[in-house]
Amino acid sequence: AQRVTQPEKLLSVFKGAPVELKCNYSYSGSPELFWYVQYSRQRLQLLLRHISRESIKGFTADLNKGETSFHLKKPFAQEEDSAMYYCALNYGGSQGNLIFGKGTKLSVKP
Amino acid sequence: EPEVTQTPSHQVTQMGQEVILRCVPISNHLYFYWYRQILGQKVEFLVSFYNNEISEKSEIFDDQFSVERPDGSNFTLKIRSTKLEDSAMYFCASSRGGTETQYFGPGTRLLVL
């Protein structure tokens, strides 16, 4: 069955430190993966998706099919990066139904 | 920039009552979704809707739930007879295509007493 795992509930780093938010998935088909972010008192919004292979706000994520991972990375964290981060998998094919991980709360301290 | 809107932002209801949660998707979007998030748990898919019919629904979406697009702009989720365990944040989302980015609404926090 399809599953998304984010092993860390909370990740706390200092400003300027590198950040890696882990995401592993289980899916028998061809995975389509996303990172969504939710800043305090704001809605869920897409941060990036693996097929676009772009960097948003300094974040990147590479799909590793061998390790079934899609970790989110940023070399130098900023205080404004503090938020909840959710990894999501499209398991609905053309319908786009998403399955989410439990989320990781990133706290960037000054 | 257009956004998905949801009303109400909060709803408190008694167990057994019917509730209707409303969403206005982005106007040129064709795919619509409902998700929910029980406090402290993950966001869970409930149902997807395209071309005026349900495309897919999860195990959570039982006979107590229904969705409707009554007037071409609103997209509603009805819970016929609420249970305590229906207390959650309900998110609506919409996208232009099934594989396109989903844009989420701010959510409706439902509390069933």
Side-chain angles (χ1 to χ4, degrees), chain B residues 18-33:
Chain B
E18 175 184 284
V19 294
I20 298 176
L21 309 183
R22 291 184 166 79
C23 169
V24 179
I26 295 173
S27 63
N28 62 346
H29 285 189
L30 300 176
Y31 289 76
F32 314 112
Y33 309 84

Side-chain angles (χ1 to χ4, degrees), chain A residues 38-104:
Chain A
Q38 189 172 30
Y39 299 102
S40 179
R41 288 189 288 278
Q42 293 188 29
R43 63 187 69 201
L44 271 167
Q45 54 187 281
L46 180 70
L47 181 62
L48 51 80
R49 52 194 298 177
H50 89 271
I51 59 169
S52 59
R53 301 184 68 82
E54 55 189 345
S55 171
I56 304 291
K57 299 185 180 184
F59 285 97
T60 58
D62 289 317
L63 177 62
N64 186 323
K65 290 187 180 179
E67 294 182 0
T68 60
S69 68
F70 188 57
H71 303 327
L72 183 68
K73 299 177 185 177
K74 184 169 182 176
F76 307 104
Q78 303 298 314
E79 288 178 70
E80 55 265 29
D81 296 328
S82 296
M84 279 295 291
Y85 290 81
Y86 295 94
C87 183
L89 166 74
N90 173 9
Y91 75 99
S94 62
Q95 299 306 314
N97 309 337
L98 297 176
I99 182 169
F100 284 82
K102 288 188 175 182
T104 298

